[in-house]
């Protein structure tokens, strides 16, 4: 079996927002009570090393000032270190100095707020240090929170299936076109064919996919996004290559609607009718019922791994940790350990794409005889067997799941509803 354009893994993008003028931020006082003189000096040395590494764009210079366990912007440790190696901290211009705004003691070491000074601009960060004064965490410290999407009432949107993925029609500023519906992305993505970078990126972002980590092509700030009854404004998204997704049926392909736009909503997928239903939710996480709607066959609670729903399925008497991504064309398992007798192979997969040009891989495709989510059992659900880097051995469920039956993800309530 030959498959050249499958996209079974998400774009997982995280980024640090650009800051306002450093001159305003530098008015804050430094609070260093209960921090010893030696510890202060080591923190300053680590910040000097951080600055030098940024300006040299050298992970080798950065590594000596990092703690053994380092976390960047909420990413897991393995992904954080890989992201730093991939150039996550490199700024668009030279860092002329680092101003410490505050420093407070914590059980883990010292928590600081700093500004990276770059000419007239400054980038605010929260940096944590271990007891030895080495950097153990780097987090964005935005001056404002991105505006959340507004959905006054429930709405339905027809989707187009192209290449096994779902696309909806929406308008960004004065452009109307198609968007991949991709909850595997943490925020908006834009197609570099139709958009150009128009804002300074601060620290760069990273995307994690089946092919590892990569950096975006810049940041785009837009005034407004309109998708049926959903409205949001003043958003920043990343530029990516969508050339291998764009086809006549979904052209112009402008980008991807993400988890950020629906994280406070309930989203239902009806694969047979090719409709996505979007519901605002009440404070308790519930949403208004649809007249004549039957009760769900199963309700599966989930936690979050980053911004992805994380839950457990049952395959052949074994509990299997899985994530959900509406932008995953294929279901994926990292291996068949203990599941060989429940898997029917179809053939070898020759190419996988994360949205860009497909790359050669060695992977097997097939189907699982039974997969259970709560009281719902799916027969012969298709899977690709290939590891997903940086996701702790978890598998992935995507579009094939809701092609079989209606499902809903209530993001605020952290539950998946299934009908069968």
């Amino acid at each position: 079996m030959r498959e050249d354009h499958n996209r079974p893994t998400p774009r997982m993008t995280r980024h640090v927002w650009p800051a306002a003028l450093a001159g305003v931020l530098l008015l804050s006082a430094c609070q260093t009570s209960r921090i010893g003189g030696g510890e202060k000096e080591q923190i300053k040395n680590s910040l000097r090393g951080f600055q030098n590494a940024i300006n040299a764009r050298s992970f080798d210079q950065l590594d000596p000032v990092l703690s053994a366990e380092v976390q960047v912007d909420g990413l897991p440790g393995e992904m954080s270190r890989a992201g730093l190696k991939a150039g996550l901290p490199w700024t668009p211009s030279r860092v002329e100095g680092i101003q410490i705004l505050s420093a407070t003691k914590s059980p883990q070491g010292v928590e600081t707020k700093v500004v990276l000074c770059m000419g007239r601009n400054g980038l605010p960060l929260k940096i944590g240090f271990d007891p030895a004064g080495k950097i153990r965490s780097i987090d964005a410290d935005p001056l404002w929170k991105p505006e959340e999407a507004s959905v006054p009432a429930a709405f339905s949107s027809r989707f187009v299936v192209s290449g096994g993925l779902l696309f909806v029609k929406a308008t960004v500023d004065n452009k109307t076109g198609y968007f991949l519906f991709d909850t595997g992305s943490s925020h908006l993505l834009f197609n570099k064919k139709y958009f150009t970078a128009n804002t300074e990126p601060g620290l760069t972002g990273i995307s994690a996919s089946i092919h590892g980590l990569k950096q975006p092509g810049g940041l785009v700030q837009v005034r407004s996004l309109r998708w049926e009854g959903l409205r949001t404004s003043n958003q920043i998204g990343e530029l990516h290559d969508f050339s291998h997704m764009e086809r006549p049926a979904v052209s112009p392909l402008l980008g991807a609607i993400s988890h950020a736009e629906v994280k406070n909503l309930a989203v239902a997928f009806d694969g047979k009718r090719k409709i996505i239903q979007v519901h605002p939710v009440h404070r308790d996480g519930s949403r208004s019922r649809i007249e004549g709607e039957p009760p769900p066959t199963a309700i599966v609670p989930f936690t979050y791994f980053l911004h992805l729903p994380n839950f457990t399925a049952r395959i052949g008497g074994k509990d299997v940790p899985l994530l959900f991504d509406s932008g995953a064309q294929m279901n994926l398992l990292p291996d068949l350990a203990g599941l060989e007798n429940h898997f029917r192979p179809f053939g070898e997969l020759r190419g996988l794409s994360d949205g860009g040009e497909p790359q050669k891989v060695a992977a097997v495709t097939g189907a699982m005889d039974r997969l259970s989510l709560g009281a719902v059992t799916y027969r012969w659900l298709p899977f690709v067997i290939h590891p997903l880097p940086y996701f702790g051995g978890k598998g992935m469920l995507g579009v094939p799941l809701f092609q079989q039956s209606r499902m809903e993800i209530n993001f605020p309530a952290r539950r998946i509803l299934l009908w069968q």
Side-chain angles (χ1 to χ4, degrees):
M1 179 177 179
R2 189 174 186 272
E3 299 285 351
D4 288 329
H5 301 289
N6 288 321
R7 182 179 174 260
T9 54
R11 278 195 192 85
M12 305 278 292
T13 49
R14 306 282 292 186
H15 63 80
V16 182
W17 297 100
L21 294 178
V24 176
L25 297 172
L26 298 183
L27 297 177
S28 297
C30 185
Q31 304 166 357
T32 56
S33 59
R34 297 182 290 125
I35 301 173
E39 195 169 10
K40 290 180 188 177
E41 191 58 36
Q42 183 56 51
I43 288 172
K44 290 179 181 178
N45 288 337
S46 292
L47 287 175
R48 279 192 287 269
F50 183 53
Q51 177 184 343
N52 292 336
I54 290 173
N55 289 337
R57 294 179 175 263
S58 169
F59 178 78
D60 289 339
Q61 290 188 35
L62 180 62
D63 195 38
V65 301
L66 298 179
S67 180
E69 299 294 330
V70 64
Q71 190 171 52
V72 181
D73 206 21
L75 297 172
E78 182 186 6
M79 191 182 295
S80 293
R81 190 166 287 272
L84 291 170
K85 289 180 180 179
L88 181 59
W90 310 152
T91 57
S93 55
R94 183 177 178 82
V95 176
E96 298 169 357
I98 299 181
Q99 174 72 32
I100 301 176
L101 303 182
S102 67
T104 57
K105 199 79 170 176
S106 77
Q108 293 75 35
V110 175
E111 313 297 328
T112 68
K113 290 190 175 184
V114 306
V115 172
L116 307 189
C117 304
M118 298 172 285
R120 296 181 61 194
N121 296 321
L123 180 69
L125 297 175
K126 291 184 286 188
I127 299 182
F129 298 86
D130 66 15
K134 292 193 173 185
I135 296 171
R136 60 172 173 77
S137 64
I138 304 170
D139 294 286
D141 191 20
L143 299 179
W144 69 92
K145 293 180 66 176
E147 184 175 322
E148 293 183 352
S150 169
V151 181
F155 69 86
S156 295
S157 176
R158 295 198 65 81
F159 62 78
V160 174
V161 180
S162 177
L165 295 169
L166 309 188
F167 297 85
V168 297
K169 217 166 195 179
T171 300
V172 171
D173 294 343
N174 62 345
K175 295 184 177 74
T176 297
Y178 289 93
F179 283 77
L180 173 68
F181 189 74
D182 185 8
T183 58
S185 175
S186 61
H187 59 275
L188 278 171
L189 304 179
F190 294 107
N191 189 348
K192 67 179 185 180
K193 178 179 177 181
Y194 300 104
F195 295 87
T196 56
N198 62 7
T199 186
E200 192 170 272
L203 297 190
T204 58
I206 58 169
S207 294
S209 76
I210 199 165
H211 299 314
L213 301 181
K214 64 181 181 181
Q215 293 178 309
L219 294 183
V220 178
Q221 186 167 19
V222 297
R223 294 186 302 275
S224 66
L225 167 70
R226 293 183 289 114
W227 170 41
E228 301 288 354
L230 183 148
R231 301 286 189 275
T232 186
S233 59
N234 298 320
Q235 297 297 312
I236 295 179
E238 290 186 354
L239 281 175
H240 285 273
D241 178 12
F242 283 81
S243 58
H244 287 268
M245 284 188 195
E246 188 168 25
R247 299 173 184 179
V250 290
S251 182
L253 176 53
L254 300 182
I257 290 174
S258 70
H259 173 262
E261 288 71 63
V262 297
K263 64 183 179 182
N264 295 318
L265 305 167
V267 179
F269 302 90
D270 190 330
K272 293 181 179 179
R273 296 168 59 203
K274 294 186 178 180
I275 286 176
I276 296 174
Q277 295 172 320
V278 179
H279 301 267
V281 300
H282 306 303
R283 288 186 178 181
D284 62 358
S286 65
R287 55 100 168 155
S288 299
R289 289 195 63 189
I290 302 171
E291 185 177 351
E293 180 182 45
T297 309
I299 299 176
V300 179
F302 67 82
T303 58
Y304 272 113
F305 178 84
L306 298 175
H307 57 280
L308 291 173
N310 179 24
F311 50 95
T312 300
R314 192 81 173 166
I315 304 176
K318 180 180 179 180
D319 288 335
V320 179
L322 296 171
L323 305 170
F324 175 77
D325 171 19
S326 69
Q329 178 195 15
M330 299 290 291
N331 302 322
L332 182 141
L333 286 174
D335 55 58
L336 283 173
L339 302 175
E340 295 86 351
N341 294 335
H342 300 276
F343 183 72
R344 178 188 293 173
F346 295 156
E348 185 175 327
L349 192 69
R350 299 186 182 182
L352 284 174
S353 170
D354 58 4
E357 186 174 355
Q359 297 184 25
K360 292 182 179 180
V361 296
V364 174
T365 65
M368 287 293 171
D369 58 359
R370 297 171 67 91
L371 180 145
S372 296
L373 291 171
V376 173
T377 297
Y378 298 90
R379 298 299 307 274
W380 302 115
L381 205 58
F383 278 92
V384 173
I385 311 302
H386 193 281
L388 182 60
Y390 313 116
F391 287 85
K394 297 176 179 62
M396 184 78 66
L397 292 181
V399 174
L401 180 67
F402 51 80
Q403 284 180 326
Q404 294 206 6
S405 61
R406 184 171 182 266
M407 68 171 289
E408 177 180 313
I409 298 188
N410 187 319
F411 289 101
R414 300 192 180 193
R415 61 186 189 183
I416 299 172
L417 287 69
L418 301 167
W419 286 263
Q420 198 171 58

